[in-house]
Amino acid sequence: MLCSMINLPTYDDVISASQRLQGHAHRTPVLRSTTADQMLGAQLFFKCENFQRMGAFKFRGAFNALSKFSDAQRKAGVITFSSGNHAQAIALSARTLGMPAVIVMPHDAPAAKKAATQGYGAEVISYDRFTQDREALTSQMAAERGMTLIPPYDHPDVMAGQGTAAKELFEEVGELDYLLVCLGGGGLLSGCALAARALSPGCKVYGVEPEAGNDGQQSFRSGSIVNIPTPKTIADGAQTQHLGQYTFGVIKRDVTDILTATDAQLIEAMKFFAERMKMVVEPTGCLGFAAARHAGLPIQGKRVGVLVSGGNVDLGRLAEFLAA
Ligand SMILES: *Cc1c(COP(=O)(O)O)cnc(C)c1O
């Protein structure tokens, strides 16, 4: 079996990642809300990665992975495929470390995202989503240019980097009864689960994904990775079609269960964050809080960590969501 052959990252890798990130990533705030606590009858601790560099936790994993490159790898640079936060995280990390970066994006990716990625100095290469296979194209380019491919979630160094968010949370507030983490491909959830097992062994760790795309829940409950078509949801950071070999290896061992949230619940959470906590959170970043409110977990009287994963949302769309 492939699974028994791969080396899963450990909490020691999360510790090493946090050392590499020192002075480069923000130590984001843990915010409280009396209103949220009263509403849910629990103590909520929001780890706010919407205030991370480039607006999402993805900087942690990208920077950690690139920091480990050899001199030869640095010289040739990094390549990835993404139209979302991972693209900007790789571009910013590569610029910081002084190496070239190529980002393969669909030709119809939003102009603002292309511009932001180019603004960090990366070369953007477009492909046709309908006729070209992005993974094959990326591998081919990586081979031609000698670049190292860093995928968005299924990589031990990416997972370890993402886990530093939960490490900081536990170090700041102590042990928790529950931790709710947004779930796409599982880089964030698996890294955070490694930190939870080490720093708060009794904590129940849940992944939360969009109801329209519950491949993670199906995979967790069936015991093997389930593939789905790209789900239709406003949570664009969680429109993944499947978990990865590495992320699923950690998730099936260290996670309690996978929950879901609807788009309407995400909009409600986005409004709460804006109105009550005065902060902008992108739809995907609302998954954890939406589940705290609606998934029916017995959190009354408990200490609950909520990972708020990012804040990158187009202002026009945000206005529409808030007016809805
Ligand atoms: C990528 C992303 C996620 C999902 O992370 P995975 O590691 O793919 O599970 C959640 N929220 C935001 C804001 C993201 O950018």
Side-chain angles (χ1 to χ4, degrees), residues 56-58 85 152-153 182-189 237 240 282 284-285 309-310:
F57 70 90
K58 289 235 171 46
N85 289 330
Y153 54 87
C182 317
L183 171 61
L188 182 63
L189 176 61
T240 37
E282 62 182 277
T284 315
S309 57

Side-chain angles (χ1 to χ4, degrees), residues 42-205:
Q43 279 177 275
L44 298 172
F45 300 87
F46 296 95
K47 176 65 171 169
C48 293
E49 287 294 300
N50 51 320
F51 298 128
Q52 186 50 265
R53 294 190 67 189
M54 49 63 58
F57 70 90
K58 289 235 171 46
F59 180 74
R60 296 174 182 271
F63 190 88
N64 183 50
L66 270 53
S67 299
K68 290 184 71 179
F69 278 19
S70 68
D71 287 347
Q73 283 179 302
R74 280 185 196 225
K75 199 148 173 280
V78 58
I79 184 166
T80 196
F81 47 85
S82 167
S83 53
N85 289 330
H86 180 66
Q88 289 172 58
I90 288 286
L92 175 59
S93 301
R95 190 182 68 180
T96 306
L97 293 165
M99 67 174 88
V102 168
I103 314 290
V104 178
M105 275 192 194
H107 68 291
D108 54 356
K113 288 207 163 148
K114 246 187 227 183
T117 306
Q118 285 164 331
Y120 289 128
E123 179 187 350
V124 172
I125 293 187
S126 299
Y127 71 98
D128 186 332
R129 284 198 294 140
F130 302 102
T131 61
Q132 288 179 291
D133 171 22
R134 71 172 188 175
E135 297 190 25
L137 179 72
T138 309
S139 305
Q140 185 198 332
M141 287 210 49
E144 276 170 20
R145 299 200 189 185
M147 297 181 120
T148 304
L149 169 63
I150 298 295
Y153 54 87
D154 203 26
H155 189 293
D157 299 337
V158 172
M159 295 156 68
Q162 318 305 30
T164 61
K167 176 177 181 286
E168 290 174 8
L169 172 62
F170 289 115
E171 284 172 353
E172 185 162 337
V173 307
E175 297 199 21
L176 296 168
D177 299 303
Y178 290 88
L179 179 64
L180 300 172
V181 182
C182 317
L183 171 61
L188 182 63
L189 176 61
S190 57
C192 289
L194 293 174
R197 288 292 77 92
L199 300 176
S200 183
C203 181
K204 293 187 168 69
V205 179

